[in-house]
Amino acid sequence: MYLIPRIIGVGIYALLLIIVYYLIPRTKRLSIPLNIYTIALALMGFFYVPMGGSDLTRIYPVVHLYAEYVLNEQESWTAIMASGTPVAALYYHVVGNLGDDRWLPFINAFLTFGLCFTLLKSIYERKIISKKDIALVLLFFMSRGLLMVTIANIRTMLSMAIIALCIYKELVEHKSFIKYFPLLIIAALIHTAGMAAVMIFIVYYVLKGRKGRNRLFASVGVIVLAIVAYAYGRVYIQVAIEKGADYLSYSQASIGYFYIWEFVLSLIVLFTTLYILSVYYLKINRVSGLDVYKKEKEDYRAFMGFMLFFTLIVLVAILIEFNIGLRLSWLIAILDMPLLLMIFVSQRCPDTFKYKLRRLIKIVSFGLLFIACTRGDLCSLKFV
């Protein structure tokens, strides 16, 4: 159905990605091609025409409903707060009043990929990184084909992009948890999958996120914030738990959503991530001696630990309940960008392994892109 329009749609997506991949190393400023690419992806969202029965066709009536709410009326606020994801409800209200449904996928793609690419811009500014490596990790991330869930599913990818930015800032740049805690709350109140990801991150942060004399103070602060958040938001946490239980019951009854090719794409990303982490812990992390090695080991510790912790959880989750694991795997796909770049610039990592890893990522990327364009969710992309 719609074979020619879909071929044109994925063809434009793949061609644009290849152009950006070759353009990044040849431009003076990294932000220019990334910003242009973000706008191009947003425009693809604006002109995307969903097929009947797609997520977006079910979301539009909800957007119209929230658009009718009047924010200075108590009844409207009561309905928004009772929705289970009040930030998403407010988001729909604002976008729904712009007068054109197509602004929703446009704005969502612009925000989501803008946040994802911020990770690349930030790490490029902090470390001496080749633009070829930036282009390679971008190719790997975009080959996963997450444009469709961004412009059609809407909430989940936006939530994961916000969480990814917070995790990067707190575990890689070692920024204050308290500074980014409000953003984590916003992400958790956009989608229940975001709530699950935030809860997992908070557990990890309390247990392993800090080390030394700052760990006690950081842990106490996080626990206090978590208690306050639970006291005022336990209803939303309960909604997320109930939603997860529903997914699990549907899966056990064999009536839940399952798509083999998205399952395969997610497994490829998960096993690639585990391979990188296994090499890091079994070889790279054992290199010691120089003070610069010790400093790098400490700088990498929290983020690498979280990636291993979270990836193993997601792998188990996707094998037990596809819906939950699938959505959480999108966060790993985003965080794989800084993960790969940290390996590429590591002074403890042998150049021979970096060469082999670059070659592997390139091969895996084109494999992912082929599957995503021919059998994944991305193959539903069309503009007429």
Side-chain angles (χ1 to χ4, degrees), residues 239-296:
V239 168
I241 293 173
E242 290 172 1
K243 189 73 172 179
D246 289 341
Y247 281 142
L248 186 58
S249 63
Y250 296 153
S251 179
Q252 291 174 341
S254 299
I255 57 175
Y257 168 73
F258 180 80
Y259 186 45
I260 183 63
W261 291 108
E262 283 297 313
F263 180 69
V264 169
L265 287 167
S266 295
L267 285 184
I268 292 173
V269 171
L270 291 174
F271 282 118
T272 302
T273 305
L274 286 175
Y275 167 71
I276 297 167
L277 291 169
S278 66
V279 173
Y280 175 80
Y281 278 106
L282 294 176
K283 292 185 178 180
I284 300 172
N285 203 44
R286 293 185 176 184
V287 177
S288 59
L290 299 177
D291 289 341
V292 67
Y293 291 170
K294 294 177 181 178
K295 183 179 184 304
E296 183 185 278

Side-chain angles (χ1 to χ4, degrees), residues 81-97:
M81 299 306 291
S83 66
T85 51
V87 173
L90 284 171
Y91 181 45
Y92 287 163
H93 170 80
V94 173
V95 177
N97 279 289

Side-chain angles (χ1 to χ4, degrees), residues 162-236:
I162 296 172
I163 296 169
L165 178 64
C166 294
I167 291 173
Y168 170 81
K169 290 294 184 180
E170 292 165 20
L171 299 186
V172 178
E173 295 188 359
H174 308 290
K175 301 294 185 181
S176 169
F177 179 91
I178 296 175
K179 180 179 179 180
Y180 288 93
F181 187 73
L183 275 179
L184 288 172
I185 296 299
I186 289 172
L189 296 178
I190 291 176
H191 195 278
T192 51
M195 177 75 74
V198 168
M199 292 171 67
I200 293 171
F201 174 62
I202 289 176
V203 169
Y204 174 81
Y205 193 87
V206 171
L207 296 176
K208 296 287 185 179
R210 291 282 183 172
K211 190 176 181 180
R213 62 183 181 180
N214 292 326
R215 180 172 179 177
L216 176 62
F217 299 105
S219 298
V220 170
V222 172
I223 292 172
V224 170
L225 286 172
I227 291 173
V228 172
Y230 179 78
Y232 288 95
R234 58 182 178 273
V235 173
Y236 305 118

Side-chain angles (χ1 to χ4, degrees), residues 2-49:
Y2 302 106
L3 180 61
I4 300 301
R6 290 162 66 185
I7 290 176
I8 294 172
V10 296
I12 292 173
Y13 177 88
L15 179 61
L16 182 61
L17 175 57
I18 300 302
I19 291 173
V20 173
Y21 170 70
Y22 281 103
L23 189 62
I24 286 176
R26 293 164 177 80
T27 53
K28 195 168 184 179
R29 294 179 59 187
L30 176 66
S31 60
I32 293 176
L34 288 180
N35 290 343
I36 293 173
Y37 189 37
T38 303
I39 295 171
L41 292 168
L43 287 171
M44 292 174 75
F46 186 83
F47 291 107
Y48 164 62
V49 178

